[in-house]
Structures are given as structure tokens and as C-alpha cells.
Amino acid sequence: TSRPLTVTGVYADGSSGDVTAMAMFSTSNTLVAVVRGRNLTALSPGEVTVTASVGTLIATGRATVPRATLRSIEVIPGMSSVGVGGTVQYSATGVLSDGSRTDVSAAVLWETSDPMLARIAPSGLLTTLAPGSVTVTARLGMLFGTAALQVDASTLVGLTLNPTEPTVPIGVRLRFTAQGRFSDGTTGDVTPTVTWESSNPVSVTIDTNGSAIARAGGRATITASVGGLSASTVVTVTTAR
């Protein structure tokens, strides 16, 4: 946050005038606030003395930089629509009293208006369960923000994995994703909802996020499964580096 500085000069005849353009500025603590151009810019909470000098004349003033407080919470995305079995990753942005914004996703308590229609994890990842309208709420202390979600009647009917049958040398990392196909013909990323498995962890390991590492020569089948559906692809690891 910045505020303009002005300096008024008082002359011997009793008149006064703006002498800001002639003044040299400084602050007593540059960790709290600094002068840039003719503006005082706050850096951190605290108090500083601002000094203005014109020739041999000096004037001072005190400035207080208050600690910014949380004023409101915004949930992102604010409105969305997804089929049954789909996911939405929510985040929460805090709007502070000084106008700045900060990510508070990890600090808020997430909840849905109807857990029978959609459930949401502490990470903000929402999974839809049944058709209907849901309000997603992020709470922090006495403040909260909301978002609207429409769960469509479409259901997950198929999965596709990417990349498809890759061949990689030892040491390479792969990021697998799962694309869902829904009964209404739409598609969407369902990577966060699937369970990953490698048929040969000696050659290829894969974590819960779909991140795989080629560890030794050989072949491994990577399988993603969710809600009774599954899809697989084969990874071939060569010994060349």
C-alpha cells in the first residue's frame, strides 16, 4: 500500500506553498516503510518516522502501518457444473483489509450443503455423488465464502489414460492422467479420484497422484480404477540412460 507525501513550506511573510518537489525524503525504518518517488510505501506492520528536508530545513511526521486483517473469503470457482463421479478442485482466497489477497485454502474448513450429493476433502477436492444443487462453503473463524455447484445426472462410464504405452529410459519420471467419459457425452479430468497401481514396482513405481518413476529395465502395466471402472497402459523401461 502506498500513500502520497506532501510538504508545505511556510515563508517569512506568512504565506505558504507546496514544496514537495523540492524535498528529500527518508524513513527511520526501511523494513516497515520506504519512500519511492514521493510516495510512502508500507512493507510490514510497525511505526516509522518520515523525514522531509528542503535545504537546511527539516520536518518530520509519524506513520503507522497496521497489521492487515482478513475481511472476506472468496471461493474459486464460484460456479461450476459436473457430472456424478466427477471432481472439482476448490481454492479459497482471503481479501485483507489493505486490499491485498492471499491464498487461505489450507486454513479454511470446507463443507458442502448436502454430503449425500457431494463430499469435499480438507484439501478442497470435491467429489460428486448424486444429481442436485450444492453450496460449497469455506469457513475461517467468523468469515466464510460460498460457491454454487450443479451436479448433473450424467455418470462416469469410461476412462482413458495418458500417456499411452510410453517407452522411457531408466530414471525418467512420468505424469499419468485419467480422463473420464460421462454418460451425457462429456469428458473431464478425473485424475484426483482414481487409484493408481503398477503391476511391476521393480521396473515402475507410481504414487497416489499418478506420478511414476522408471526404476529398472522391464515392462509394467499401470492401472487406474474408480467406481468399478478401470483403464490400463503399459510402460516399457529401456536400460539406456
PDB file of all heavy atoms in Angstrom, residues 29-68:
ATOM      1  N   ASN A  29      12.854   3.507   9.469  1.00  0.00           N
ATOM      2  CA  ASN A  29      12.939   2.044   9.425  1.00  0.00           C
ATOM      3  C   ASN A  29      12.484   1.571   8.049  1.00  0.00           C
ATOM      4  O   ASN A  29      11.288   1.501   7.761  1.00  0.00           O
ATOM      5  CB  ASN A  29      12.061   1.424  10.519  1.00  0.00           C
ATOM      6  CG  ASN A  29      12.285  -0.081  10.651  1.00  0.00           C
ATOM      7  OD1 ASN A  29      12.802  -0.731   9.740  1.00  0.00           O
ATOM      8  ND2 ASN A  29      11.900  -0.642  11.791  1.00  0.00           N
ATOM      9  N   THR A  30      13.468   1.236   7.216  1.00  0.00           N
ATOM     10  CA  THR A  30      13.149   0.845   5.842  1.00  0.00           C
ATOM     11  C   THR A  30      12.557  -0.559   5.745  1.00  0.00           C
ATOM     12  O   THR A  30      12.150  -0.990   4.666  1.00  0.00           O
ATOM     13  CB  THR A  30      14.407   0.918   4.957  1.00  0.00           C
ATOM     14  OG1 THR A  30      15.454   0.122   5.549  1.00  0.00           O
ATOM     15  CG2 THR A  30      14.881   2.354   4.815  1.00  0.00           C
ATOM     16  N   LEU A  31      12.505  -1.292   6.875  1.00  0.00           N
ATOM     17  CA  LEU A  31      11.836  -2.587   6.875  1.00  0.00           C
ATOM     18  C   LEU A  31      10.329  -2.415   7.004  1.00  0.00           C
ATOM     19  O   LEU A  31       9.554  -3.290   6.619  1.00  0.00           O
ATOM     20  CB  LEU A  31      12.365  -3.471   8.002  1.00  0.00           C
ATOM     21  CG  LEU A  31      13.838  -3.876   7.917  1.00  0.00           C
ATOM     22  CD1 LEU A  31      14.226  -4.711   9.123  1.00  0.00           C
ATOM     23  CD2 LEU A  31      14.104  -4.646   6.627  1.00  0.00           C
ATOM     24  N   VAL A  32       9.913  -1.293   7.569  1.00  0.00           N
ATOM     25  CA  VAL A  32       8.487  -1.017   7.772  1.00  0.00           C
ATOM     26  C   VAL A  32       7.913  -0.234   6.599  1.00  0.00           C
ATOM     27  O   VAL A  32       6.838  -0.555   6.084  1.00  0.00           O
ATOM     28  CB  VAL A  32       8.256  -0.251   9.092  1.00  0.00           C
ATOM     29  CG1 VAL A  32       6.791   0.165   9.231  1.00  0.00           C
ATOM     30  CG2 VAL A  32       8.677  -1.107  10.274  1.00  0.00           C
ATOM     31  N   ALA A  33       8.624   0.812   6.151  1.00  0.00           N
ATOM     32  CA  ALA A  33       8.145   1.623   5.042  1.00  0.00           C
ATOM     33  C   ALA A  33       9.302   2.344   4.382  1.00  0.00           C
ATOM     34  O   ALA A  33      10.305   2.673   5.037  1.00  0.00           O
ATOM     35  CB  ALA A  33       7.103   2.638   5.518  1.00  0.00           C
ATOM     36  N   VAL A  34       9.166   2.572   3.091  1.00  0.00           N
ATOM     37  CA  VAL A  34      10.184   3.301   2.338  1.00  0.00           C
ATOM     38  C   VAL A  34       9.495   4.362   1.491  1.00  0.00           C
ATOM     39  O   VAL A  34       8.288   4.281   1.223  1.00  0.00           O
ATOM     40  CB  VAL A  34      11.009   2.360   1.424  1.00  0.00           C
ATOM     41  CG1 VAL A  34      11.819   1.381   2.244  1.00  0.00           C
ATOM     42  CG2 VAL A  34      10.092   1.631   0.438  1.00  0.00           C
ATOM     43  N   VAL A  35      10.272   5.354   1.073  1.00  0.00           N
ATOM     44  CA  VAL A  35       9.752   6.389   0.182  1.00  0.00           C
ATOM     45  C   VAL A  35      10.246   6.094  -1.222  1.00  0.00           C
ATOM     46  O   VAL A  35      11.451   5.987  -1.466  1.00  0.00           O
ATOM     47  CB  VAL A  35      10.200   7.790   0.621  1.00  0.00           C
ATOM     48  CG1 VAL A  35       9.706   8.836  -0.378  1.00  0.00           C
ATOM     49  CG2 VAL A  35       9.683   8.100   2.016  1.00  0.00           C
ATOM     50  N   ARG A  36       9.300   5.952  -2.129  1.00  0.00           N
ATOM     51  CA  ARG A  36       9.613   5.717  -3.534  1.00  0.00           C
ATOM     52  C   ARG A  36       8.999   6.856  -4.326  1.00  0.00           C
ATOM     53  O   ARG A  36       7.773   6.989  -4.362  1.00  0.00           O
ATOM     54  CB  ARG A  36       9.076   4.366  -3.984  1.00  0.00           C
ATOM     55  CG  ARG A  36       9.784   3.183  -3.322  1.00  0.00           C
ATOM     56  CD  ARG A  36       9.109   1.870  -3.607  1.00  0.00           C
ATOM     57  NE  ARG A  36       9.839   0.759  -3.011  1.00  0.00           N
ATOM     58  CZ  ARG A  36       9.326  -0.440  -2.760  1.00  0.00           C
ATOM     59  NH1 ARG A  36       8.056  -0.667  -3.062  1.00  0.00           N
ATOM     60  NH2 ARG A  36      10.052  -1.392  -2.209  1.00  0.00           N
ATOM     61  N   GLY A  37       9.852   7.644  -4.931  1.00  0.00           N
ATOM     62  CA  GLY A  37       9.362   8.849  -5.582  1.00  0.00           C
ATOM     63  C   GLY A  37       8.878   9.812  -4.508  1.00  0.00           C
ATOM     64  O   GLY A  37       9.636  10.191  -3.616  1.00  0.00           O
ATOM     65  N   ARG A  38       7.613  10.140  -4.537  1.00  0.00           N
ATOM     66  CA  ARG A  38       7.022  10.974  -3.489  1.00  0.00           C
ATOM     67  C   ARG A  38       5.905  10.228  -2.771  1.00  0.00           C
ATOM     68  O   ARG A  38       4.986  10.833  -2.239  1.00  0.00           O
ATOM     69  CB  ARG A  38       6.494  12.281  -4.106  1.00  0.00           C
ATOM     70  CG  ARG A  38       7.580  13.119  -4.774  1.00  0.00           C
ATOM     71  CD  ARG A  38       7.047  14.469  -5.215  1.00  0.00           C
ATOM     72  NE  ARG A  38       8.073  15.210  -5.938  1.00  0.00           N
ATOM     73  CZ  ARG A  38       8.108  15.347  -7.255  1.00  0.00           C
ATOM     74  NH1 ARG A  38       7.176  14.799  -8.000  1.00  0.00           N
ATOM     75  NH2 ARG A  38       9.072  16.043  -7.840  1.00  0.00           N
ATOM     76  N   ASN A  39       6.015   8.883  -2.776  1.00  0.00           N
ATOM     77  CA  ASN A  39       5.012   8.047  -2.121  1.00  0.00           C
ATOM     78  C   ASN A  39       5.631   7.246  -0.994  1.00  0.00           C
ATOM     79  O   ASN A  39       6.751   6.724  -1.132  1.00  0.00           O
ATOM     80  CB  ASN A  39       4.373   7.083  -3.126  1.00  0.00           C
ATOM     81  CG  ASN A  39       3.567   7.801  -4.176  1.00  0.00           C
ATOM     82  OD1 ASN A  39       2.659   8.566  -3.848  1.00  0.00           O
ATOM     83  ND2 ASN A  39       3.891   7.568  -5.438  1.00  0.00           N
ATOM     84  N   LEU A  40       4.901   7.110   0.106  1.00  0.00           N
ATOM     85  CA  LEU A  40       5.324   6.279   1.217  1.00  0.00           C
ATOM     86  C   LEU A  40       4.719   4.897   1.013  1.00  0.00           C
ATOM     87  O   LEU A  40       3.495   4.749   0.944  1.00  0.00           O
ATOM     88  CB  LEU A  40       4.843   6.874   2.540  1.00  0.00           C
ATOM     89  CG  LEU A  40       5.238   6.099   3.807  1.00  0.00           C
ATOM     90  CD1 LEU A  40       6.753   6.133   4.005  1.00  0.00           C
ATOM     91  CD2 LEU A  40       4.515   6.668   5.019  1.00  0.00           C
ATOM     92  N   THR A  41       5.578   3.882   0.891  1.00  0.00           N
ATOM     93  CA  THR A  41       5.123   2.525   0.619  1.00  0.00           C
ATOM     94  C   THR A  41       5.311   1.652   1.841  1.00  0.00           C
ATOM     95  O   THR A  41       6.427   1.540   2.370  1.00  0.00           O
ATOM     96  CB  THR A  41       5.894   1.915  -0.565  1.00  0.00           C
ATOM     97  OG1 THR A  41       5.681   2.720  -1.727  1.00  0.00           O
ATOM     98  CG2 THR A  41       5.428   0.490  -0.843  1.00  0.00           C
ATOM     99  N   ALA A  42       4.218   1.059   2.319  1.00  0.00           N
ATOM    100  CA  ALA A  42       4.260   0.189   3.503  1.00  0.00           C
ATOM    101  C   ALA A  42       4.792  -1.182   3.129  1.00  0.00           C
ATOM    102  O   ALA A  42       4.417  -1.753   2.097  1.00  0.00           O
ATOM    103  CB  ALA A  42       2.872   0.075   4.101  1.00  0.00           C
ATOM    104  N   LEU A  43       5.680  -1.723   3.979  1.00  0.00           N
ATOM    105  CA  LEU A  43       6.270  -3.037   3.734  1.00  0.00           C
ATOM    106  C   LEU A  43       5.877  -4.058   4.786  1.00  0.00           C
ATOM    107  O   LEU A  43       5.724  -5.242   4.477  1.00  0.00           O
ATOM    108  CB  LEU A  43       7.792  -2.924   3.671  1.00  0.00           C
ATOM    109  CG  LEU A  43       8.357  -1.986   2.600  1.00  0.00           C
ATOM    110  CD1 LEU A  43       9.869  -1.938   2.694  1.00  0.00           C
ATOM    111  CD2 LEU A  43       7.917  -2.417   1.206  1.00  0.00           C
ATOM    112  N   SER A  44       5.743  -3.623   6.044  1.00  0.00           N
ATOM    113  CA  SER A  44       5.395  -4.530   7.127  1.00  0.00           C
ATOM    114  C   SER A  44       4.793  -3.725   8.276  1.00  0.00           C
ATOM    115  O   SER A  44       4.998  -2.506   8.353  1.00  0.00           O
ATOM    116  CB  SER A  44       6.631  -5.310   7.606  1.00  0.00           C
ATOM    117  OG  SER A  44       7.596  -4.430   8.135  1.00  0.00           O
ATOM    118  N   PRO A  45       4.047  -4.372   9.185  1.00  0.00           N
ATOM    119  CA  PRO A  45       3.432  -3.644  10.293  1.00  0.00           C
ATOM    120  C   PRO A  45       4.463  -2.974  11.197  1.00  0.00           C
ATOM    121  O   PRO A  45       5.549  -3.507  11.423  1.00  0.00           O
ATOM    122  CB  PRO A  45       2.676  -4.741  11.055  1.00  0.00           C
ATOM    123  CG  PRO A  45       2.464  -5.824  10.044  1.00  0.00           C
ATOM    124  CD  PRO A  45       3.678  -5.794   9.168  1.00  0.00           C
ATOM    125  N   GLY A  46       4.130  -1.789  11.698  1.00  0.00           N
ATOM    126  CA  GLY A  46       5.031  -1.068  12.607  1.00  0.00           C
ATOM    127  C   GLY A  46       4.851   0.435  12.483  1.00  0.00           C
ATOM    128  O   GLY A  46       3.916   0.912  11.830  1.00  0.00           O
ATOM    129  N   GLU A  47       5.755   1.188  13.132  1.00  0.00           N
ATOM    130  CA  GLU A  47       5.718   2.645  13.077  1.00  0.00           C
ATOM    131  C   GLU A  47       7.041   3.178  12.550  1.00  0.00           C
ATOM    132  O   GLU A  47       8.103   2.605  12.825  1.00  0.00           O
ATOM    133  CB  GLU A  47       5.440   3.235  14.460  1.00  0.00           C
ATOM    134  CG  GLU A  47       4.040   2.947  14.978  1.00  0.00           C
ATOM    135  CD  GLU A  47       3.754   3.708  16.256  1.00  0.00           C
ATOM    136  OE1 GLU A  47       4.696   4.314  16.813  1.00  0.00           O
ATOM    137  OE2 GLU A  47       2.585   3.715  16.701  1.00  0.00           O
ATOM    138  N   VAL A  48       6.981   4.263  11.799  1.00  0.00           N
ATOM    139  CA  VAL A  48       8.189   4.895  11.281  1.00  0.00           C
ATOM    140  C   VAL A  48       8.060   6.412  11.386  1.00  0.00           C
ATOM    141  O   VAL A  48       6.958   6.956  11.437  1.00  0.00           O
ATOM    142  CB  VAL A  48       8.447   4.535   9.791  1.00  0.00           C
ATOM    143  CG1 VAL A  48       8.810   3.091   9.630  1.00  0.00           C
ATOM    144  CG2 VAL A  48       7.263   4.915   8.930  1.00  0.00           C
ATOM    145  N   THR A  49       9.214   7.036  11.434  1.00  0.00           N
ATOM    146  CA  THR A  49       9.276   8.494  11.324  1.00  0.00           C
ATOM    147  C   THR A  49       9.678   8.832   9.900  1.00  0.00           C
ATOM    148  O   THR A  49      10.671   8.312   9.385  1.00  0.00           O
ATOM    149  CB  THR A  49      10.296   9.084  12.299  1.00  0.00           C
ATOM    150  OG1 THR A  49       9.888   8.784  13.635  1.00  0.00           O
ATOM    151  CG2 THR A  49      10.397  10.595  12.135  1.00  0.00           C
ATOM    152  N   VAL A  50       8.878   9.674   9.251  1.00  0.00           N
ATOM    153  CA  VAL A  50       9.173  10.115   7.887  1.00  0.00           C
ATOM    154  C   VAL A  50       9.796  11.508   7.976  1.00  0.00           C
ATOM    155  O   VAL A  50       9.238  12.407   8.623  1.00  0.00           O
ATOM    156  CB  VAL A  50       7.900  10.168   7.032  1.00  0.00           C
ATOM    157  CG1 VAL A  50       8.246  10.596   5.607  1.00  0.00           C
ATOM    158  CG2 VAL A  50       7.201   8.812   7.028  1.00  0.00           C
ATOM    159  N   THR A  51      10.963  11.678   7.381  1.00  0.00           N
ATOM    160  CA  THR A  51      11.689  12.953   7.421  1.00  0.00           C
ATOM    161  C   THR A  51      11.731  13.577   6.033  1.00  0.00           C
ATOM    162  O   THR A  51      12.042  12.893   5.048  1.00  0.00           O
ATOM    163  CB  THR A  51      13.115  12.760   7.951  1.00  0.00           C
ATOM    164  OG1 THR A  51      13.060  12.201   9.268  1.00  0.00           O
ATOM    165  CG2 THR A  51      13.859  14.091   7.991  1.00  0.00           C
ATOM    166  N   ALA A  52      11.387  14.848   5.966  1.00  0.00           N
ATOM    167  CA  ALA A  52      11.479  15.609   4.718  1.00  0.00           C
ATOM    168  C   ALA A  52      12.423  16.777   4.944  1.00  0.00           C
ATOM    169  O   ALA A  52      12.318  17.488   5.949  1.00  0.00           O
ATOM    170  CB  ALA A  52      10.106  16.121   4.298  1.00  0.00           C
ATOM    171  N   SER A  53      13.352  16.938   4.036  1.00  0.00           N
ATOM    172  CA  SER A  53      14.304  18.046   4.169  1.00  0.00           C
ATOM    173  C   SER A  53      14.318  18.885   2.893  1.00  0.00           C
ATOM    174  O   SER A  53      14.304  18.352   1.781  1.00  0.00           O
ATOM    175  CB  SER A  53      15.711  17.523   4.474  1.00  0.00           C
ATOM    176  OG  SER A  53      16.161  16.662   3.449  1.00  0.00           O
ATOM    177  N   VAL A  54      14.326  20.188   3.091  1.00  0.00           N
ATOM    178  CA  VAL A  54      14.440  21.149   1.993  1.00  0.00           C
ATOM    179  C   VAL A  54      15.550  22.117   2.383  1.00  0.00           C
ATOM    180  O   VAL A  54      15.380  22.942   3.290  1.00  0.00           O
ATOM    181  CB  VAL A  54      13.124  21.912   1.747  1.00  0.00           C
ATOM    182  CG1 VAL A  54      13.318  22.928   0.617  1.00  0.00           C
ATOM    183  CG2 VAL A  54      11.992  20.951   1.426  1.00  0.00           C
ATOM    184  N   GLY A  55      16.691  21.960   1.727  1.00  0.00           N
ATOM    185  CA  GLY A  55      17.845  22.757   2.147  1.00  0.00           C
ATOM    186  C   GLY A  55      18.251  22.369   3.558  1.00  0.00           C
ATOM    187  O   GLY A  55      18.443  21.198   3.867  1.00  0.00           O
ATOM    188  N   THR A  56      18.331  23.357   4.453  1.00  0.00           N
ATOM    189  CA  THR A  56      18.708  23.079   5.844  1.00  0.00           C
ATOM    190  C   THR A  56      17.496  22.882   6.741  1.00  0.00           C
ATOM    191  O   THR A  56      17.642  22.619   7.941  1.00  0.00           O
ATOM    192  CB  THR A  56      19.548  24.243   6.398  1.00  0.00           C
ATOM    193  OG1 THR A  56      18.789  25.446   6.326  1.00  0.00           O
ATOM    194  CG2 THR A  56      20.835  24.405   5.605  1.00  0.00           C
ATOM    195  N   LEU A  57      16.311  22.985   6.184  1.00  0.00           N
ATOM    196  CA  LEU A  57      15.082  22.836   6.970  1.00  0.00           C
ATOM    197  C   LEU A  57      14.610  21.384   6.949  1.00  0.00           C
ATOM    198  O   LEU A  57      14.692  20.687   5.934  1.00  0.00           O
ATOM    199  CB  LEU A  57      13.984  23.741   6.415  1.00  0.00           C
ATOM    200  CG  LEU A  57      14.291  25.243   6.431  1.00  0.00           C
ATOM    201  CD1 LEU A  57      13.163  26.015   5.775  1.00  0.00           C
ATOM    202  CD2 LEU A  57      14.513  25.725   7.878  1.00  0.00           C
ATOM    203  N   ILE A  58      14.125  20.941   8.091  1.00  0.00           N
ATOM    204  CA  ILE A  58      13.690  19.552   8.245  1.00  0.00           C
ATOM    205  C   ILE A  58      12.316  19.516   8.898  1.00  0.00           C
ATOM    206  O   ILE A  58      12.035  20.283   9.824  1.00  0.00           O
ATOM    207  CB  ILE A  58      14.695  18.740   9.104  1.00  0.00           C
ATOM    208  CG1 ILE A  58      16.041  18.623   8.390  1.00  0.00           C
ATOM    209  CG2 ILE A  58      14.137  17.354   9.397  1.00  0.00           C
ATOM    210  CD1 ILE A  58      17.103  17.936   9.220  1.00  0.00           C
ATOM    211  N   ALA A  59      11.484  18.623   8.419  1.00  0.00           N
ATOM    212  CA  ALA A  59      10.176  18.372   9.029  1.00  0.00           C
ATOM    213  C   ALA A  59       9.989  16.864   9.152  1.00  0.00           C
ATOM    214  O   ALA A  59      10.490  16.093   8.317  1.00  0.00           O
ATOM    215  CB  ALA A  59       9.060  18.984   8.197  1.00  0.00           C
ATOM    216  N   THR A  60       9.308  16.446  10.191  1.00  0.00           N
ATOM    217  CA  THR A  60       9.083  15.016  10.407  1.00  0.00           C
ATOM    218  C   THR A  60       7.604  14.728  10.638  1.00  0.00           C
ATOM    219  O   THR A  60       6.819  15.611  11.013  1.00  0.00           O
ATOM    220  CB  THR A  60       9.883  14.494  11.615  1.00  0.00           C
ATOM    221  OG1 THR A  60       9.453  15.181  12.795  1.00  0.00           O
ATOM    222  CG2 THR A  60      11.374  14.691  11.411  1.00  0.00           C
ATOM    223  N   GLY A  61       7.246  13.495  10.420  1.00  0.00           N
ATOM    224  CA  GLY A  61       5.887  13.024  10.681  1.00  0.00           C
ATOM    225  C   GLY A  61       5.922  11.553  11.024  1.00  0.00           C
ATOM    226  O   GLY A  61       6.876  10.849  10.670  1.00  0.00           O
ATOM    227  N   ARG A  62       4.909  11.087  11.726  1.00  0.00           N
ATOM    228  CA  ARG A  62       4.841   9.679  12.115  1.00  0.00           C
ATOM    229  C   ARG A  62       3.840   8.942  11.229  1.00  0.00           C
ATOM    230  O   ARG A  62       2.798   9.474  10.847  1.00  0.00           O
ATOM    231  CB  ARG A  62       4.408   9.534  13.569  1.00  0.00           C
ATOM    232  CG  ARG A  62       5.386  10.123  14.567  1.00  0.00           C
ATOM    233  CD  ARG A  62       6.629   9.260  14.713  1.00  0.00           C
ATOM    234  NE  ARG A  62       6.345   7.967  15.340  1.00  0.00           N
ATOM    235  CZ  ARG A  62       7.260   7.000  15.468  1.00  0.00           C
ATOM    236  NH1 ARG A  62       8.488   7.162  14.963  1.00  0.00           N
ATOM    237  NH2 ARG A  62       6.952   5.873  16.064  1.00  0.00           N
ATOM    238  N   ALA A  63       4.184   7.722  10.895  1.00  0.00           N
ATOM    239  CA  ALA A  63       3.287   6.874  10.096  1.00  0.00           C
ATOM    240  C   ALA A  63       3.185   5.506  10.758  1.00  0.00           C
ATOM    241  O   ALA A  63       4.186   4.954  11.221  1.00  0.00           O
ATOM    242  CB  ALA A  63       3.809   6.733   8.670  1.00  0.00           C
ATOM    243  N   THR A  64       1.990   4.993  10.817  1.00  0.00           N
ATOM    244  CA  THR A  64       1.741   3.665  11.390  1.00  0.00           C
ATOM    245  C   THR A  64       1.228   2.733  10.293  1.00  0.00           C
ATOM    246  O   THR A  64       0.287   3.079   9.576  1.00  0.00           O
ATOM    247  CB  THR A  64       0.708   3.727  12.525  1.00  0.00           C
ATOM    248  OG1 THR A  64       1.193   4.588  13.565  1.00  0.00           O
ATOM    249  CG2 THR A  64       0.446   2.344  13.099  1.00  0.00           C
ATOM    250  N   VAL A  65       1.887   1.600  10.189  1.00  0.00           N
ATOM    251  CA  VAL A  65       1.445   0.580   9.239  1.00  0.00           C
ATOM    252  C   VAL A  65       0.728  -0.499  10.036  1.00  0.00           C
ATOM    253  O   VAL A  65       1.361  -1.272  10.746  1.00  0.00           O
ATOM    254  CB  VAL A  65       2.622  -0.040   8.466  1.00  0.00           C
ATOM    255  CG1 VAL A  65       2.117  -1.091   7.465  1.00  0.00           C
ATOM    256  CG2 VAL A  65       3.427   1.031   7.756  1.00  0.00           C
ATOM    257  N   PRO A  66      -0.613  -0.549   9.983  1.00  0.00           N
ATOM    258  CA  PRO A  66      -1.349  -1.540  10.770  1.00  0.00           C
ATOM    259  C   PRO A  66      -1.206  -2.936  10.195  1.00  0.00           C
ATOM    260  O   PRO A  66      -0.922  -3.108   9.000  1.00  0.00           O
ATOM    261  CB  PRO A  66      -2.792  -1.054  10.680  1.00  0.00           C
ATOM    262  CG  PRO A  66      -2.855  -0.350   9.372  1.00  0.00           C
ATOM    263  CD  PRO A  66      -1.506   0.296   9.185  1.00  0.00           C
ATOM    264  N   ARG A  67      -1.390  -3.909  11.044  1.00  0.00           N
ATOM    265  CA  ARG A  67      -1.380  -5.291  10.576  1.00  0.00           C
ATOM    266  C   ARG A  67      -2.677  -5.549   9.819  1.00  0.00           C
ATOM    267  O   ARG A  67      -3.772  -5.296  10.310  1.00  0.00           O
ATOM    268  CB  ARG A  67      -1.262  -6.250  11.765  1.00  0.00           C
ATOM    269  CG  ARG A  67      -1.068  -7.708  11.355  1.00  0.00           C
ATOM    270  CD  ARG A  67      -0.842  -8.569  12.578  1.00  0.00           C
ATOM    271  NE  ARG A  67       0.358  -8.174  13.275  1.00  0.00           N
ATOM    272  CZ  ARG A  67       1.589  -8.558  12.967  1.00  0.00           C
ATOM    273  NH1 ARG A  67       1.768  -9.352  11.904  1.00  0.00           N
ATOM    274  NH2 ARG A  67       2.624  -8.163  13.669  1.00  0.00           N
ATOM    275  N   ALA A  68      -2.547  -6.050   8.596  1.00  0.00           N
ATOM    276  CA  ALA A  68      -3.728  -6.299   7.770  1.00  0.00           C
ATOM    277  C   ALA A  68      -4.552  -7.440   8.360  1.00  0.00           C
ATOM    278  O   ALA A  68      -4.015  -8.423   8.875  1.00  0.00           O
ATOM    279  CB  ALA A  68      -3.309  -6.637   6.346  1.00  0.00           C
TER     280      ALA A  68
END
